[in-house]
Amino acid sequence: MTDRLAWIDEELKNLKETGFYNSIRTLGSPQGSHLVVDGKQVLNFCSNNYLGLANHPRLVEAVNAATKRLGVGPGAVRSIAGTMDLHIELERRMAAFKGVESSVVLQSGFVANSASIPVLAGKEDAILSDELNHASIIDGSRLSGAKIIRFKHADPQALEDAIKAAQSQYRRLLMITDGVFSMDGDIAPLDQLVEICERYGVMSMVDDAHGEGVVGKGGRGIVDHFGLHGRLDLEVGTFSKAFGVAGGVVAGKAKISDLLKQRSRAFLFSSAMTVPNAAANLAAVDLLEESTALVDRLWGNARFFQAEMRKLGFDTGVTQTPITPVMLGDVQLAREFSRQLYDAGVFAMALGFPTVPQGKARIRVMLSAAHSQQDLENCLDAFEQVGKRLNVI
Ligand SMILES: *Cc1c(COP(=O)(O)O)cnc(C)c1O
């Protein structure tokens, strides 16, 4: 009898032979400046836990209190019996935090894109998408059935040219861009992109997953960073990065939220965010609104670390945020560098093709407010040693 799943063995073998097989590590500790990885204690420079909230006592307390009152599960999809006062409160608070009319919370940032894009665009429309947009934007766009037109990364002129070429052929146009790009740490020229969208009557949407809790006043995000309040139609966000928990949010004009609750398949056919998630997310918003201390500390750490890395002779690319790519070029070199850092007790991921373009392999160092000055210095020492050993500096 032939094995009808033999092709899977082939595919896995092929991934292993070509070096694309991803071995996933197991953590035996909470997220923080240090991790226990496969039993070994290491300094953590891999997570998106920008503000150190993933294991913050205030969030843990909020979960304990909420689960006592409301239990754990939401029980149903939002539109049947899954919306609790906690979800409404979180939506109200997120809208206020972002300075928009309204917000809708969803199960994840990934879901927020597939929930919202098909509501705004359909078969007769076109989506103008930055060529480096996140996978969840691409999937959400595909799901909409709209024509996807990619424009050159962070290039307002390319957007304008694409709009001019597409305008007469489609019913409506929607521009979507990441706010902060997670591989390079650069920021979209959102002020110019929005100005062009307004001029041509194109709908605009930004995915601010790496911007919320990081850029803008007290971490209010990319729209606040550029002072564009009220000018974008929709913002997608996540609670899984700076907010330290999990969940997604769609924020913007009230009528878009209204339509989303009627039409969005992920809203109508997937159960609500759990009680612990909603409670922890709400506590994270409280912390961000009370003080800018964590955001300030994150930026202090980023500025110090990046300046020291440049002094050592490393190329930190085009970053404008705490995401710190250490450009190495060759993927084998990046992997070896990451391995030797790990042996020295520093956990930082090597990224190669197809995650980043061919020949642009790198180690990506994710800084956090959770890191102490000593943590940063230990990391710099490890980079210096390995960099010299491998003739990078
Ligand atoms: C991480 C990320 C997401 C996914 O967010 P999750 O809440 O983890 O699902 C979506 N968009 C962008 C741009 C991201 O960086």
Side-chain angles (χ1 to χ4, degrees):
M1 213 168 62
T2 56
D3 176 3
R4 64 179 175 275
L5 298 183
W7 65 273
I8 295 179
D9 300 322
E10 275 304 303
E11 201 142 305
L12 288 169
K13 187 165 142 256
N14 188 32
L15 283 172
K16 284 176 187 161
E17 281 171 4
T18 50
F20 289 123
Y21 186 85
N22 197 354
S23 297
I24 299 168
R25 297 187 188 273
T26 307
L27 309 183
S29 64
Q31 278 291 343
S33 61
H34 292 71
L35 294 175
V36 176
V37 182
D38 300 325
K40 173 184 158 96
Q41 159 116 357
V42 289
L43 256 172
N44 174 21
F45 289 93
C46 290
S47 81
N48 303 317
N49 183 24
Y50 288 110
L51 301 176
L53 298 184
N55 187 35
H56 194 287
R58 281 273 297 276
L59 274 66
V60 176
E61 277 166 32
V63 170
N64 289 339
T67 51
K68 261 200 196 119
R69 182 168 79 86
L70 294 169
V72 185
V77 301
R78 296 270 317 259
S79 54
I80 294 180
T83 298
M84 292 174 165
D85 53 10
L86 207 57
H87 295 110
I88 301 299
E89 174 70 359
L90 180 58
E91 288 174 342
R92 196 180 63 70
R93 294 290 304 282
M94 273 312 279
F97 181 71
K98 295 205 147 249
V100 295
E101 291 175 13
S102 156
S103 87
V104 180
V105 300
L106 292 140
Q107 302 82 355
S108 77
F110 197 104
V111 168
N113 275 316
S114 55
S116 56
I117 299 171
V119 170
L120 291 179
K123 281 194 187 65
E124 296 157 82
D125 306 319
I127 292 169
L128 303 146
S129 180
D130 185 290
E131 64 184 347
L132 296 188
N133 274 347
H134 189 260
S136 59
I137 298 176
I138 297 169
D139 284 14
S141 301
R142 286 180 182 155
L143 214 50
S144 76
K147 168 79 179 169
I148 300 167
I149 301 169
R150 290 160 26 123
F151 64 90
K152 186 157 175 280
H153 174 55
D155 185 337
Q157 188 59 53
L159 171 66
E160 184 166 358
D161 293 346
I163 292 173
K164 282 185 184 156
Q167 213 167 23
S168 63
Q169 297 180 52
Y170 299 95
R171 181 181 59 176
R172 288 192 284 270
L173 300 180
L174 167 66
M175 185 282 301
I176 313 180
T177 182
D178 271 28
V180 173
F181 289 84
S182 61
M183 294 300 140
D184 290 296
D186 58 329
I187 294 178
L190 199 62
D191 48 349
Q192 298 174 63
L193 299 177
V194 165
E195 190 274 317
I196 291 168
C197 288
E198 286 173 341
R199 190 142 38 88
Y200 289 90
V202 171
M203 295 181 288
S204 58
M205 172 169 169
V206 66
D207 180 341
D208 201 19
H210 283 274
E212 287 163 334
V214 177
V215 302
K217 267 189 305 301
R220 279 170 176 71
I222 189 85
V223 168
D224 187 85
H225 172 83
F226 284 109
L228 297 171
H229 301 279
R231 289 177 59 190
L232 271 111
D233 296 312
L234 201 63
E235 292 173 58
V236 157
T238 175
F239 293 102
S240 72
K241 286 168 180 146
F243 285 78
V245 194
V249 64
V250 177
K253 307 263 159 68
K255 60 186 172 192
I256 298 182
S257 298
D258 209 7
L259 185 63
L260 196 132
K261 288 178 186 165
Q262 305 304 315
R263 290 269 170 80
S264 169
R265 294 170 71 79
F267 183 88
L268 296 169
F269 298 106
S270 180
S271 287
M273 179 184 281
T274 68
V275 170
N277 269 22
N281 292 335
L282 207 41
V285 182
D286 282 341
L287 279 173
L288 278 159
E289 286 196 332
E290 276 167 26
S291 157
T292 63
L294 290 172
V295 178
D296 296 342
R297 187 176 166 84
L298 167 68
W299 281 94
N301 282 352
R303 291 204 180 96
F304 169 76
F305 183 83
Q306 290 173 359
E308 292 298 313
M309 284 293 280
R310 287 177 198 129
K311 267 190 233 161
L312 285 172
F314 287 105
D315 173 4
T316 53
V318 296
T319 185
Q320 299 167 273
T321 61
I323 296 170
T324 309
V326 181
M327 307 305 288
L328 295 168
D330 177 58
V331 66
Q332 295 308 336
L333 174 63
R335 290 214 183 106
E336 182 55 27
F337 206 114
S338 174
R339 241 188 319 271
Q340 293 199 20
L341 283 175
Y342 191 77
D343 289 341
V346 171
F347 189 22
M349 283 302 270
L351 301 172
F353 182 80
T355 309
V356 297
Q358 208 112 37
K360 297 233 168 153
R362 66 199 64 181
I363 307 262
R364 188 179 62 164
V365 180
M366 299 299 281
L367 295 162
S368 169
H371 293 125
S372 68
Q373 179 70 19
Q374 191 61 53
D375 295 335
L376 300 180
E377 284 170 17
N378 292 345
C379 181
L380 288 162
D381 285 346
F383 263 96
E384 182 174 11
Q385 278 170 29
V386 176
K388 285 184 174 152
R389 204 181 304 138
L390 295 176
N391 292 318
V392 173
I393 53 169

